[in-house]
Amino acid sequence: MTSRHGRIKSVDSDSLAPPAQRTRDGRSYSNTEGSRPPGSFAASAASHGPPGSFSSDLRSVTTIRSDLSRPDYFGTLGKDRVDKQEEEFQQQQRESEQRQAGFKDQLERELKIKIGSENLLEALHFKKNAKERRMKVESQLDQTNRNIAVLKHNIAAEVERSRASSPTKGRPGSLSQLFKHGRSSSQQTFATTEEEEEDDNESPTYVLVETLQALEEHGQPADHYVNLANNLIELFKRHNTLKYDLVWTIFGVRIQGMLLSDNREVAAAGFRMLRYAITDRKSLSTMRSFSTDIFVLLALVKEGRDSVDREQALKFVRAFLDVKDGLEEVAQPIMRALVAIAEQHDDRLRQISIMTLCEMLIRKPALVASASGVGALSDALAEGLYLPAESLSHAFLYLLDFPDGRKYFRSGHELQGPFAVFSDESMHMNEERLKTNAKVIAGMLKTWPGLTALSSHGFLAIKSLTTSLFQDSSRIRDIVLEIILDLMRIKSPSWSTSYLAGRRLTTYGRVGVSRTHSFGLNSQNNDSADGELVKHFTALLVAVFIRAGLLDALAFTLQNEKTLHIQRKAILLMGEALELTSTALPTSWTERLQVLPTIFSAASVLSSDDRFDATSLIYQIDSVNRTLYRTEHNNKLQALTPNPNEGSATSLRRTSDLQRDTLTQQIEDPVFRQALLDSQVPITPKYQKWNWELIQKIIDGPLQNPSRLEFAMKQGKFMKRLIGFFRPFKYRFSDIRNTRQTQQRYVPLGCSLVRALLQSTEGSKFLAENKLMRQIAECLAQVDRLSGLTSAAPLFSADRLEDTLSGGYFALLGAISSSIRGLAIIERWKIANMFYHIVELQDRNDLIKMLLSSMDYTIPSHLRVILSKALTACGIDIRVFATRILRRYAVVGHNKGAQQSATESDARSLSTPQFGQIQTWAIDLLVTQLYDPQVEVCEVAVKILEEACNNLHALEYVVYCRPALDHLGEIGAPLLLRFLSTSLGYHYLDDLDYISQEMDDWFLGRNETYVRLVEASVGKALSRPQNQHAQRQSRNLSEEFVEDQHQGSAPPHFYRELTRTAEGCRLLERKGHFEEFVSVIRGWGMEYSDAEAIMRVKGCMWAVGNIGSMKLGAPFLETSDVVELIVNIAMWSQVMSMRGTAFFVLGLISKSIYGQELLAERGWDVALDDCGQSTGICLPRDIAELFQMPAWGSQRGLVQIPDIQIPKITDDDPTNARILSLITDLGNTVLAKTRAAELHSLKNKKVAAFESPQFFQKVLGLVDRYHFRLQALRFIMELFDKSVVRQVVLDEEDADDEGDTTLRSFEPSSPIRGIAI
């Protein structure tokens, strides 16, 4: 028996290692053994210690026998009988295979019938007057499903019958029978294959019984029980259903024996066995009947130095979370122990205990609150030491959303803890804690529950954050400024790093700094990064911080901060905050903010020396603003215009610098020749010494003039050396290391050079005859398997494309392909032919992606055919990638923001009247991609077409193509919604009977689905880092990704698209859906407990908001008081997320003129742009009214269990009563020390109470009822001898007359049940 289970074939990742034998010096034998040859069995046996020791791989060592002979159990007659059985078995096997084949053929036919029936049903779903046919097909489908079930059952039965008749299952000569009779230790060591065959054939129930019998043996070493536990767990893993058949009267007793062991490894193995034996709540209840609650409590309160059993006990408790209603079986004393560990700062299990309490708080908050766990979690959140602190704050925010969850927060200020670290000077040096709390604060303020809770009480929490800027601490100011930059979604400009480091702002006047580089709310980059809902939420945050005194705090920081980095960051924030107030907030907010009263007051006091600093700050703020928002033309005009704050010498110097740095086409000959010499190209062939900035200016300026270009080609060495630098086989450009800096310096310059050459006939001839094109063609031929040219190290190998600038040649070819002259050069060198062959390569996706993404497809040529081939003939990765490339040509205006990384020729070609033809070509290909067999390709095509349909002409052309989207299901639904925007699309969908069915679907349930979609979209957009969008823009074009265009915006809504046309409005009025929505909002708008009703109200509000945002749908708002109802929900709803939904819906309503008038009547102002159009942002005139919420901190006692009279725990013996009183006082930190000393004195006197099981139960009742620190819990448990626990668990002592003294478990719903009082 022992030899059978004394080995472990495999140990999982959390298997327990048996305790090691110790030498005299305290080290384990496994660490002191010398190395042994793996094949030396004698050495292995000799090197191990006494019986019970174990090797490093957790395998027990057994005596090795040299006798390897196997006894002959069979005679001649037995062999004949075996042969006959073999023949019968083979005949039965052949018959069984024939029957299985017949069943499988029938099953295949039935499956085909099922597929055909389902397709026919889907087709009939969109046809009218097909009810009878649908019923007939559904009947046929039901019959087919029944036939399939019967056939599968027959096949399974036949397979099982075939296995049952196997001769190896019970015949005398089978290996399993031989092994069951017994085998030697040597066979255990060598016969690996036989072991596996035995494990496959032996019964898991038999192994379980053997293992449990082995666990019954007493007096064995600890590793014996640990190995058996590991084997049993492996058995549970291999046979998942085995744990459902456990006989708990036997299994539970074995577990009790292990948990009562003094060895921690054995006890840990017992907890681990329990964890793997869990099946459902009933199994948890059964486990608790064996007093597992007492064992868990005793393990959790132990010292944390050797915590193997504590860890397994905590894992066992966490396993309750994985069981449905498992938390109902968590005992109150265990919760008390978890809270005590969470309060102990130096405990190793504190982090996992906090995480466990956090998960329990979401699942069953009453359980955590009754054990005082909310306070412990609130302290952990305030400390900032819990690593995933954001998850802890999210648990609090989840409960704060509803009144039923807010009642568990006693003080009402639980979320304000992280703010304290910014006002506590003793914590200013702990930068890690400051940053952790900063992330928590930013995360909370990006949610409606967090913003509402922190803005209550007169914006107390947010004011504490802004007033921390008044402290004389640069570290605090830096982190607070970062929080505000993140919350206001302010993205740093490209030059911010250098500017914050101390460089002069005028340095950037020479670089094109356009409005698209801005990091504000109203910039073009921001339009693409943030949606309208995110902008609305950001505007609210700006208003809240301004109300909390942000501008005064920034003004103080500017005047008193000595660190240049912090001061300049505050200047950037001040300028952007003022810009946000002027563009994102209503006019009523901006009237009193733009004057900067604090700084201007200081600057106007002529008698004070502080006026110079104030004047300088005003100038710096204005200078930053002008740098952020001026254009290239304004840069030059401002440089040439003298500044009144500068001296004449400074102004003239700036003008001279600009004239010297600006090289135009009409430059004079001496200046042009001097510029060529200053570039160092004619002087030295070493490109490292060339002035690349000047070379770029020469190419973009004088070389755009054909005469200057001809001079550079024919006179001197400038053009020869420059074009030679790019030749592949000179290994200059092609060997430069591929970094971001080298890509930005050399690749754009090369593209500009070839474009300059292609502008004239002479330049095109020069480029066509130059060795550059011939060598590029030769390099392409090296990777073209049909060219006949090979190379041991091709220039376009995968390694070189990744490590060097060799991939830049595709960018050069892309610039060449942007003109007709360049396409002629490509045809001359047969480059297009090689492109056809390269696209067919199966193992070079990197090369194909670089080729496809670099080419210019604006001119009809072979390149378009190559792209079409990649769209249809390549693998799925290339098809998806090629489909994404079409976005550049299908989406109108896409290149306005993204074209900065593309070529200038692309921008010119896409701005010409031919762009309509280019878009038509791209849309045709995208429509073709809708029929790709892979759904990933179809999904990308749908997203691009949906974005392209923002343009009316593109939308009409897509409708004209009449794509069939039935096979795409939900994927194609957003594109079909776009079709409703025009009358042509409306009639097209109406002919398909799509509108009426879709309208009914949205009315009956899709509105609720829309709520989840938009809430997830806004949450994801708000949590996205601000630098993510900039990183995506700087990404290589081959990595272009089609982003979800609705992230942070209101996704397409059926009723919104329906009300774009007069036909849709008439249909909506005829159906009466709008009146139904208003009725739901009026009847259930203030609901706070019914989650289903709340979700329905949210869906109706989104429907009303989308209808009211349209010009044709806005008149529906005047037919009812729905706007007033939504305003009341935003102001007074008890559900915080409901307030957020109403706030966003009011922003949608503010887009229409009717909506603006209705909102103005109810005290809400709308933000307008320069043209007087609504920006979709509206705010109440008194922002504090939006955050009025009843104080939930005063609602005490709501979590106590009602209607339960809890008796006082006492004892008739005065000494025992005194002990109970002393133990109760241990929960008081003031009295704990003296009470512990008195209890220790009673313990030394050997009071009989500490040896009484009945008294131990009463003490457990105190632990169940009162809160104790971890040291106090440990002290209480150590007062009693372990024999007392054994008596309680095993019921070795008769019950007392006072009541039942056997404490088997603690009932969480009735914490004192089973305890003798």
Side-chain angles (χ1 to χ4, degrees), residues 30 93 141 156 260 269 403 416 609 623 634 668 700 815 928 1153 1171 1193:
S30 58
Q93 192 71 14
L141 183 59
L260 285 170
Q416 299 179 12
D609 293 338
S623 182
N634 289 335
E668 297 180 357
D700 294 339
T928 304
I1153 298 178
C1171 299

Side-chain angles (χ1 to χ4, degrees), residues 915-981:
F915 180 54
Q917 300 177 1
I918 299 172
Q919 188 183 19
T920 300
W921 162 76
I923 290 176
D924 287 335
L925 292 179
L926 287 171
V927 171
T928 304
Q929 294 304 96
L930 295 176
Y931 307 104
D932 192 277
Q934 295 295 331
V935 69
E936 292 87 350
V937 180
C938 303
E939 187 174 4
V940 174
V942 167
K943 288 183 178 180
I944 298 175
L945 285 174
E946 183 185 355
E947 186 181 0
C949 287
N950 291 329
N951 178 269
L952 181 60
H953 300 290
L955 175 59
E956 292 179 347
Y957 184 75
V958 174
V959 175
Y960 174 78
C961 294
R962 302 176 70 86
L965 301 175
D966 298 345
H967 63 289
L968 296 180
E970 291 295 328
I971 297 176
L975 186 57
L976 290 175
L977 287 181
R978 289 289 188 183
F979 290 178
L980 287 174
S981 303

